[in-house]
Amino acid sequence: MIEFAIVLPVLLTLILYGIELANYVIVRQQVSQLAQQVADNASRIGVQEVLRNRPITEGQINDLFVGADLQAGNLNLSNNGRVILSSLVVNSDGGQWIQWQRCYGRFAHASTFGNEGDGATGKTLTGMGPTGSQVQAMNKVPLVFTEIALSYKPVISSRWAPSSIISEYASFYVRDDRDTSAIQNSNDDPVARCR
């Protein structure tokens, strides 16, 4: 009885820490898969056109964000998260350019890898992603880059979670010939600006 009473606090602490760590890993995996899904879907959107490259619309981007929120389920992405969708293209000088950026979610989190308009001229922007692992658009082949940040809600205590913010990113090359001149908005859909 005395031995059990001495070991119980240590055992209980280890069990609770294990539960919190397991939950954190599962949520991080969900966010990672969500980032991949958003980037993949964004690389495929566009209005089907026969005589010109496929344009994209603000409505399609908004639909993409609604789909991400539905897929996130109980993570409550609209209140606890931030999705940052960027289009990376090659500028006229041969450098990388974040041509446009759209955001979703109320969580205050700025892009870690650049903002809309960065790299419009010159070659100062070398790509998007962590240093040493940056991705780059190719000539006439845009790249879609997704960042997702989520405020982690612990099961037991935030002191036991590795971090209070889970951040993941993913990228895909655009699969069709996309019209990169501008995002169309003939229906006056709301524009999900990041600022």
Side-chain angles (χ1 to χ4, degrees), residues 10-84:
V10 174
L11 186 62
L12 189 58
T13 301
L14 289 174
I15 289 171
L16 294 176
Y17 177 73
I19 290 170
E20 190 64 66
L21 189 59
N23 184 65
Y24 181 86
V25 169
I26 289 169
V27 171
R28 185 170 195 110
Q29 183 66 28
Q30 287 177 305
V31 173
S32 176
Q33 289 175 350
L34 184 61
Q36 291 177 22
Q37 187 67 39
V38 170
D40 187 27
N41 288 343
S43 72
R44 297 171 190 259
I45 62 174
V47 178
Q48 190 66 40
E49 296 276 346
V50 177
L51 301 175
R52 64 181 181 147
N53 291 344
R54 293 179 81 164
I56 61 171
T57 67
E58 295 291 352
Q60 290 171 328
I61 293 172
N62 293 337
D63 289 346
L64 185 73
F65 288 148
V66 169
D69 196 25
L70 290 172
Q71 184 180 350
N74 62 356
L75 295 179
N76 194 2
L77 191 61
S78 61
N79 290 317
N80 300 328
R82 182 77 159 174
V83 180
I84 304 168

Coordinates of all heavy atoms in Angstrom, one line a residue, residues 10-84:
V10 N 3.9 9.6 -9.6 CA 4.8 9.5 -10.7 C 4.1 8.8 -11.9 O 4.2 9.3 -13.0 CB 6.1 8.7 -10.3 CG1 7.0 8.5 -11.5 CG2 6.9 9.5 -9.2
L11 N 3.5 7.7 -11.6 CA 2.8 6.9 -12.6 C 1.7 7.8 -13.2 O 1.5 7.8 -14.5 CB 2.2 5.7 -12.0 CG 1.5 4.7 -13.0 CD1 2.6 4.2 -14.0 CD2 0.9 3.5 -12.2
L12 N 0.9 8.5 -12.4 CA -0.2 9.3 -12.9 C 0.4 10.5 -13.8 O -0.2 10.8 -14.9 CB -1.0 9.9 -11.7 CG -2.3 10.6 -12.1 CD1 -3.2 9.7 -12.8 CD2 -2.9 11.1 -10.8
T13 N 1.5 11.1 -13.4 CA 2.1 12.1 -14.2 C 2.5 11.6 -15.5 O 2.3 12.3 -16.5 CB 3.3 12.7 -13.4 OG1 2.8 13.2 -12.1 CG2 4.0 13.8 -14.2
L14 N 3.2 10.4 -15.5 CA 3.6 9.9 -16.8 C 2.4 9.5 -17.7 O 2.5 9.8 -18.9 CB 4.4 8.6 -16.6 CG 5.8 8.8 -16.0 CD1 6.5 7.5 -15.6 CD2 6.7 9.6 -16.9
I15 N 1.4 9.0 -17.2 CA 0.2 8.7 -18.0 C -0.4 10.0 -18.6 O -0.7 10.0 -19.8 CB -0.9 7.9 -17.1 CG1 -0.3 6.5 -16.8 CG2 -2.2 7.9 -17.8 CD1 -1.2 5.8 -15.8
L16 N -0.6 11.0 -17.8 CA -1.2 12.3 -18.2 C -0.3 12.9 -19.3 O -0.8 13.4 -20.3 CB -1.5 13.2 -17.1 CG -2.5 12.8 -16.1 CD1 -2.6 13.7 -14.9 CD2 -3.9 12.6 -16.8
Y17 N 1.0 12.9 -19.1 CA 2.0 13.5 -20.0 C 1.9 12.7 -21.3 O 1.9 13.3 -22.4 CB 3.4 13.4 -19.5 CG 4.4 13.9 -20.5 CD1 4.5 15.3 -20.8 CD2 5.3 13.0 -21.1 CE1 5.5 15.7 -21.7 CE2 6.2 13.4 -22.0 CZ 6.3 14.8 -22.3 OH 7.2 15.2 -23.3
G18 N 1.8 11.4 -21.3 CA 1.7 10.5 -22.5 C 0.4 10.8 -23.2 O 0.4 10.9 -24.5
I19 N -0.7 11.0 -22.5 CA -2.0 11.4 -23.2 C -1.8 12.7 -23.9 O -2.3 12.9 -25.1 CB -3.1 11.4 -22.2 CG1 -3.4 10.0 -21.7 CG2 -4.4 12.1 -22.8 CD1 -4.4 10.0 -20.5
E20 N -1.3 13.7 -23.3 CA -1.1 15.0 -23.9 C -0.2 15.0 -25.1 O -0.5 15.6 -26.1 CB -0.5 16.0 -22.8 CG -0.5 17.5 -23.3 CD -1.9 18.0 -23.5 OE1 -2.7 18.1 -22.6 OE2 -2.3 18.3 -24.7
L21 N 0.9 14.3 -25.0 CA 1.9 14.1 -26.1 C 1.2 13.4 -27.3 O 1.4 13.8 -28.4 CB 3.1 13.4 -25.6 CG 4.3 13.4 -26.6 CD1 4.7 14.8 -26.9 CD2 5.5 12.6 -26.0
A22 N 0.5 12.4 -27.0 CA -0.2 11.6 -28.1 C -1.2 12.5 -28.8 O -1.3 12.5 -30.0 CB -0.9 10.4 -27.5
N23 N -2.0 13.3 -28.0 CA -2.9 14.2 -28.6 C -2.2 15.2 -29.5 O -2.7 15.5 -30.6 CB -3.8 14.9 -27.5 CG -4.9 15.7 -28.1 OD1 -5.8 15.2 -28.8 ND2 -4.8 17.0 -27.9
Y24 N -1.1 15.8 -29.0 CA -0.4 16.8 -29.8 C 0.1 16.2 -31.1 O 0.0 16.9 -32.1 CB 0.8 17.3 -28.9 CG 1.6 18.3 -29.6 CD1 1.3 19.7 -29.6 CD2 2.8 18.0 -30.4 CE1 2.0 20.6 -30.2 CE2 3.5 18.9 -31.0 CZ 3.2 20.3 -30.9 OH 3.9 21.2 -31.6
V25 N 0.6 15.0 -31.1 CA 1.1 14.4 -32.3 C 0.0 14.1 -33.3 O 0.2 14.4 -34.5 CB 1.9 13.0 -31.9 CG1 2.2 12.2 -33.2 CG2 3.1 13.3 -31.2
I26 N -1.1 13.7 -32.8 CA -2.3 13.5 -33.7 C -2.8 14.8 -34.3 O -3.0 14.8 -35.5 CB -3.4 12.8 -32.9 CG1 -3.0 11.3 -32.6 CG2 -4.7 12.8 -33.7 CD1 -4.0 10.7 -31.6
V27 N -2.9 15.8 -33.5 CA -3.3 17.1 -34.1 C -2.3 17.6 -35.1 O -2.7 18.2 -36.1 CB -3.6 18.2 -32.9 CG1 -3.8 19.5 -33.5 CG2 -4.7 17.7 -32.1
R28 N -1.0 17.5 -34.8 CA 0.0 18.0 -35.7 C -0.1 17.2 -37.0 O 0.1 17.8 -38.1 CB 1.4 17.8 -35.1 CG 2.5 18.4 -36.0 CD 3.8 18.4 -35.3 NE 4.7 19.3 -36.1 CZ 5.1 20.5 -35.7 NH1 4.7 21.0 -34.6 NH2 5.8 21.2 -36.5
Q29 N -0.3 15.9 -37.0 CA -0.5 15.1 -38.2 C -1.7 15.6 -39.0 O -1.7 15.7 -40.2 CB -0.6 13.6 -37.8 CG -0.7 12.7 -39.0 CD 0.5 12.7 -39.9 OE1 1.6 12.9 -39.4 NE2 0.4 12.5 -41.2
Q30 N -2.8 15.9 -38.3 CA -4.0 16.4 -38.9 C -3.7 17.7 -39.7 O -4.2 17.9 -40.8 CB -5.2 16.6 -37.9 CG -5.8 15.4 -37.4 CD -6.9 15.7 -36.4 OE1 -6.6 16.4 -35.4 NE2 -8.1 15.2 -36.6
V31 N -3.0 18.6 -39.0 CA -2.7 19.9 -39.6 C -1.8 19.7 -40.8 O -1.9 20.4 -41.9 CB -2.0 20.9 -38.6 CG1 -1.5 22.2 -39.2 CG2 -3.0 21.2 -37.5
S32 N -0.8 18.8 -40.7 CA 0.1 18.5 -41.8 C -0.7 18.0 -43.1 O -0.5 18.4 -44.2 CB 1.1 17.5 -41.4 OG 2.0 17.1 -42.5
Q33 N -1.6 17.1 -42.8 CA -2.4 16.5 -43.9 C -3.3 17.6 -44.5 O -3.6 17.6 -45.7 CB -3.2 15.3 -43.4 CG -2.3 14.1 -43.2 CD -3.1 12.9 -42.6 OE1 -4.2 13.1 -42.2 NE2 -2.4 11.8 -42.5
L34 N -3.8 18.5 -43.6 CA -4.7 19.5 -44.1 C -3.9 20.5 -45.0 O -4.4 20.9 -46.0 CB -5.3 20.3 -42.9 CG -6.3 21.4 -43.2 CD1 -7.5 20.8 -43.9 CD2 -6.8 22.0 -41.9
A35 N -2.7 20.8 -44.6 CA -1.9 21.7 -45.5 C -1.6 21.1 -46.8 O -1.7 21.8 -47.9 CB -0.6 22.0 -44.7
Q36 N -1.3 19.8 -46.9 CA -1.1 19.1 -48.1 C -2.4 19.1 -49.0 O -2.4 19.3 -50.2 CB -0.7 17.7 -47.9 CG 0.7 17.6 -47.3 CD 1.1 16.2 -47.0 OE1 0.5 15.2 -47.6 NE2 2.1 16.0 -46.1
Q37 N -3.5 18.9 -48.3 CA -4.8 18.9 -49.1 C -5.1 20.2 -49.7 O -5.6 20.3 -50.8 CB -5.9 18.4 -48.1 CG -7.3 18.2 -48.8 CD -7.2 17.0 -49.8 OE1 -6.6 16.0 -49.5 NE2 -7.9 17.1 -50.9
V38 N -4.9 21.3 -48.9 CA -5.2 22.7 -49.4 C -4.3 23.0 -50.5 O -4.8 23.5 -51.6 CB -5.1 23.7 -48.2 CG1 -5.2 25.1 -48.8 CG2 -6.2 23.5 -47.2
A39 N -3.0 22.7 -50.4 CA -2.1 23.0 -51.5 C -2.4 22.2 -52.7 O -2.4 22.7 -53.9 CB -0.7 22.7 -51.1
D40 N -2.8 20.9 -52.6 CA -3.1 20.1 -53.7 C -4.4 20.6 -54.4 O -4.4 20.7 -55.6 CB -3.3 18.7 -53.2 CG -3.5 17.7 -54.4 OD1 -3.1 17.9 -55.5 OD2 -4.2 16.6 -54.1
N41 N -5.4 20.9 -53.6 CA -6.6 21.4 -54.2 C -6.4 22.8 -54.9 O -7.0 23.1 -56.0 CB -7.7 21.6 -53.1 CG -8.3 20.2 -52.7 OD1 -8.1 19.2 -53.4 ND2 -8.9 20.2 -51.6
A42 N -5.6 23.7 -54.3 CA -5.3 25.0 -54.9 C -4.5 24.8 -56.2 O -4.7 25.7 -57.1 CB -4.5 25.8 -53.9
S43 N -3.8 23.8 -56.3 CA -3.0 23.6 -57.6 C -3.9 23.1 -58.7 O -3.5 23.2 -59.9 CB -1.9 22.6 -57.3 OG -2.4 21.3 -57.2
R44 N -5.1 22.7 -58.4 CA -6.0 22.1 -59.4 C -7.1 23.1 -59.8 O -7.8 22.8 -60.8 CB -6.6 20.8 -58.9 CG -5.7 19.7 -58.6 CD -6.4 18.6 -57.9 NE -5.4 17.6 -57.4 CZ -5.2 16.4 -58.0 NH1 -5.8 16.1 -59.1 NH2 -4.3 15.6 -57.5
I45 N -7.4 24.1 -59.0 CA -8.6 24.9 -59.3 C -8.4 25.8 -60.5 O -7.2 26.0 -61.0 CB -8.9 25.9 -58.1 CG1 -7.8 26.9 -57.8 CG2 -9.4 25.1 -56.9 CD1 -8.1 27.9 -56.7
G46 N -9.5 26.2 -61.1 CA -9.4 27.1 -62.3 C -10.7 26.9 -63.1 O -11.3 25.8 -63.1
V47 N -11.0 27.9 -63.8 CA -12.2 27.8 -64.7 C -11.8 27.1 -66.0 O -10.7 27.5 -66.6 CB -12.7 29.3 -65.0 CG1 -13.9 29.2 -66.0 CG2 -13.1 30.0 -63.7
Q48 N -12.5 26.2 -66.4 CA -12.2 25.4 -67.6 C -12.4 26.3 -68.9 O -13.5 26.8 -69.1 CB -13.1 24.2 -67.8 CG -12.7 23.2 -68.9 CD -11.3 22.6 -68.6 OE1 -11.0 22.2 -67.4 NE2 -10.5 22.5 -69.6
E49 N -11.3 26.6 -69.6 CA -11.3 27.4 -70.8 C -10.7 26.6 -71.9 O -9.7 25.9 -71.7 CB -10.5 28.7 -70.5 CG -11.1 29.6 -69.5 CD -12.2 30.5 -70.0 OE1 -12.3 30.6 -71.2 OE2 -13.0 31.1 -69.2
V50 N -11.2 26.8 -73.1 CA -10.6 26.1 -74.2 C -9.5 26.9 -75.0 O -8.5 26.4 -75.4 CB -11.7 25.7 -75.2 CG1 -11.2 25.0 -76.5 CG2 -12.7 24.8 -74.5
L51 N -9.8 28.2 -75.1 CA -8.9 29.1 -75.9 C -7.9 29.8 -75.1 O -7.1 30.5 -75.7 CB -9.8 30.1 -76.7 CG -10.8 29.4 -77.6 CD1 -11.7 30.5 -78.2 CD2 -10.2 28.6 -78.7
R52 N -7.8 29.7 -73.8 CA -6.8 30.4 -73.1 C -6.4 29.6 -71.8 O -7.1 28.6 -71.4 CB -7.3 31.8 -72.7 CG -8.5 31.8 -71.8 CD -8.9 33.3 -71.5 NE -10.0 33.3 -70.6 CZ -10.3 34.2 -69.7 NH1 -9.5 35.2 -69.6 NH2 -11.3 34.1 -68.9
N53 N -5.4 30.0 -71.1 CA -5.0 29.4 -69.9 C -6.1 29.5 -68.8 O -6.9 30.5 -68.8 CB -3.7 30.0 -69.3 CG -2.5 29.7 -70.2 OD1 -2.6 28.8 -71.0 ND2 -1.4 30.4 -70.1
R54 N -6.2 28.6 -67.9 CA -7.2 28.6 -66.9 C -7.1 29.7 -65.9 O -6.1 29.7 -65.1 CB -7.2 27.2 -66.2 CG -7.5 26.0 -67.0 CD -7.5 24.8 -66.2 NE -8.7 24.6 -65.4 CZ -9.0 23.5 -64.9 NH1 -8.3 22.5 -64.9 NH2 -10.2 23.4 -64.2
P55 N -8.1 30.6 -65.8 CA -8.1 31.6 -64.8 C -8.7 31.0 -63.5 O -9.4 30.0 -63.5 CB -9.0 32.7 -65.3 CG -9.9 32.0 -66.2 CD -9.2 30.8 -66.8
I56 N -8.3 31.6 -62.4 CA -8.9 31.2 -61.1 C -9.7 32.4 -60.6 O -9.5 33.6 -61.0 CB -7.9 30.8 -60.1 CG1 -6.9 31.9 -59.7 CG2 -7.2 29.5 -60.5 CD1 -6.0 31.6 -58.6
T57 N -10.7 32.1 -59.7 CA -11.6 33.2 -59.2 C -11.5 33.3 -57.6 O -11.1 32.3 -57.0 CB -13.0 32.9 -59.6 OG1 -13.5 31.7 -58.9 CG2 -13.2 32.7 -61.1
E58 N -11.9 34.4 -57.1 CA -11.9 34.6 -55.7 C -12.9 33.6 -55.1 O -12.7 33.1 -54.0 CB -12.3 36.0 -55.3 CG -11.3 37.1 -55.7 CD -10.0 37.1 -54.9 OE1 -9.9 36.3 -53.9 OE2 -9.1 37.8 -55.3
G59 N -14.0 33.3 -55.8 CA -15.0 32.4 -55.3 C -14.4 31.0 -55.1 O -14.7 30.3 -54.2
Q60 N -13.6 30.5 -56.1 CA -12.9 29.2 -55.9 C -12.0 29.2 -54.7 O -11.9 28.2 -54.0 CB -12.2 28.9 -57.2 CG -13.1 28.6 -58.4 CD -12.3 28.5 -59.7 OE1 -11.3 29.2 -59.9 NE2 -12.8 27.7 -60.6
I61 N -11.3 30.3 -54.5 CA -10.4 30.3 -53.3 C -11.2 30.3 -52.0 O -10.9 29.5 -51.1 CB -9.5 31.6 -53.4 CG1 -8.5 31.4 -54.6 CG2 -8.7 31.8 -52.1 CD1 -7.7 32.7 -54.8
N62 N -12.3 31.0 -52.0 CA -13.2 31.0 -50.8 C -13.8 29.6 -50.6 O -13.8 29.1 -49.5 CB -14.3 32.0 -50.9 CG -13.8 33.4 -50.9 OD1 -12.8 33.7 -50.4 ND2 -14.6 34.3 -51.5
D63 N -14.1 28.9 -51.7 CA -14.6 27.5 -51.6 C -13.6 26.6 -51.0 O -13.8 25.7 -50.2 CB -15.1 27.0 -52.9 CG -16.4 27.7 -53.4 OD1 -17.1 28.3 -52.6 OD2 -16.7 27.5 -54.6
L64 N -12.3 26.8 -51.5 CA -11.2 26.0 -51.0 C -11.0 26.2 -49.5 O -10.8 25.2 -48.8 CB -9.9 26.5 -51.7 CG -8.7 25.8 -51.5 CD1 -8.7 24.4 -52.2 CD2 -7.5 26.6 -52.0
F65 N -11.2 27.4 -49.0 CA -11.1 27.6 -47.5 C -12.2 27.0 -46.8 O -12.0 26.4 -45.7 CB -11.0 29.1 -47.2 CG -9.7 29.8 -47.6 CD1 -9.6 31.1 -48.1 CD2 -8.5 29.1 -47.6 CE1 -8.5 31.7 -48.4 CE2 -7.3 29.6 -48.0 CZ -7.3 31.0 -48.4
V66 N -13.4 27.1 -47.3 CA -14.6 26.4 -46.6 C -14.4 24.9 -46.6 O -14.6 24.3 -45.5 CB -15.9 26.8 -47.4 CG1 -17.0 25.9 -46.9 CG2 -16.2 28.2 -47.2
G67 N -13.8 24.3 -47.6 CA -13.5 22.9 -47.6 C -12.5 22.5 -46.6 O -12.6 21.5 -45.9
A68 N -11.5 23.4 -46.5 CA -10.4 23.1 -45.5 C -11.0 23.2 -44.1 O -10.7 22.4 -43.2 CB -9.3 24.2 -45.6
D69 N -11.9 24.1 -43.8 CA -12.5 24.2 -42.5 C -13.4 23.0 -42.2 O -13.4 22.5 -41.1 CB -13.4 25.5 -42.4 CG -13.7 25.9 -41.0 OD1 -13.0 25.5 -40.1 OD2 -14.8 26.6 -40.8
L70 N -14.1 22.5 -43.2 CA -14.9 21.3 -43.0 C -14.0 20.1 -42.8 O -14.3 19.3 -41.9 CB -15.8 21.1 -44.2 CG -16.9 22.1 -44.4 CD1 -17.6 21.8 -45.8 CD2 -18.0 22.0 -43.3
Q71 N -12.9 20.0 -43.5 CA -12.0 18.9 -43.3 C -11.4 18.9 -41.9 O -11.1 17.9 -41.3 CB -11.0 18.9 -44.4 CG -10.1 17.7 -44.3 CD -9.0 17.7 -45.4 OE1 -9.0 18.4 -46.3 NE2 -8.0 16.8 -45.3
A72 N -11.1 20.1 -41.4 CA -10.4 20.3 -40.1 C -11.3 19.8 -39.0 O -10.8 19.4 -37.9 CB -10.0 21.7 -39.9
G73 N -12.6 19.8 -39.2 CA -13.5 19.2 -38.2 C -13.4 19.9 -36.9 O -13.6 21.2 -36.8
N74 N -13.2 19.2 -35.8 CA -13.2 19.8 -34.4 C -12.0 20.6 -34.1 O -11.9 21.1 -33.0 CB -13.4 18.6 -33.4 CG -12.2 17.7 -33.4 OD1 -11.3 17.8 -34.2 ND2 -12.3 16.7 -32.5
L75 N -11.1 20.8 -35.0 CA -10.0 21.7 -34.8 C -10.4 23.2 -34.8 O -9.7 24.0 -34.4 CB -8.9 21.5 -35.8 CG -8.2 20.1 -35.8 CD1 -7.1 20.1 -36.9 CD2 -7.5 19.9 -34.5
N76 N -11.6 23.4 -35.4 CA -12.2 24.7 -35.5 C -11.2 25.7 -36.1 O -10.8 26.7 -35.5 CB -12.6 25.2 -34.1 CG -13.5 26.4 -34.1 OD1 -13.9 26.9 -35.2 ND2 -13.9 26.9 -33.0
L77 N -10.9 25.4 -37.3 CA -9.9 26.2 -38.1 C -10.3 27.7 -38.2 O -9.4 28.5 -38.2 CB -9.7 25.6 -39.5 CG -8.5 26.1 -40.3 CD1 -7.2 25.8 -39.6 CD2 -8.5 25.4 -41.7
S78 N -11.5 28.0 -38.4 CA -12.0 29.4 -38.6 C -11.7 30.2 -37.4 O -11.4 31.4 -37.5 CB -13.4 29.4 -38.9 OG -14.2 28.9 -37.9
N79 N -11.7 29.7 -36.2 CA -11.4 30.4 -34.9 C -10.1 30.2 -34.4 O -9.4 31.2 -33.8 CB -12.5 30.1 -33.9 CG -13.9 30.6 -34.2 OD1 -14.0 31.8 -34.7 ND2 -14.9 29.8 -34.0
N80 N -9.5 29.0 -34.5 CA -8.3 28.7 -33.8 C -7.1 28.6 -34.8 O -6.0 28.3 -34.4 CB -8.4 27.3 -33.1 CG -9.4 27.3 -32.1 OD1 -9.7 28.3 -31.4 ND2 -10.0 26.1 -31.9
G81 N -7.3 28.8 -36.1 CA -6.3 28.6 -37.0 C -6.1 29.7 -38.1 O -6.9 30.7 -38.1
R82 N -5.1 29.6 -38.9 CA -4.9 30.6 -40.0 C -4.3 29.8 -41.1 O -3.3 29.1 -41.0 CB -3.9 31.6 -39.5 CG -3.6 32.7 -40.5 CD -4.7 33.7 -40.6 NE -4.3 35.0 -41.1 CZ -5.1 35.9 -41.4 NH1 -6.4 35.8 -41.1 NH2 -4.7 37.1 -41.9
V83 N -5.0 29.9 -42.3 CA -4.5 29.3 -43.5 C -4.0 30.4 -44.4 O -4.7 31.4 -44.6 CB -5.6 28.5 -44.3 CG1 -5.1 27.9 -45.5 CG2 -6.2 27.5 -43.4
I84 N -2.7 30.3 -44.9 CA -2.1 31.3 -45.7 C -1.8 30.6 -47.1 O -1.0 29.7 -47.1 CB -0.9 32.0 -45.1 CG1 -1.2 32.6 -43.8 CG2 -0.3 33.0 -46.1 CD1 0.0 33.0 -42.9

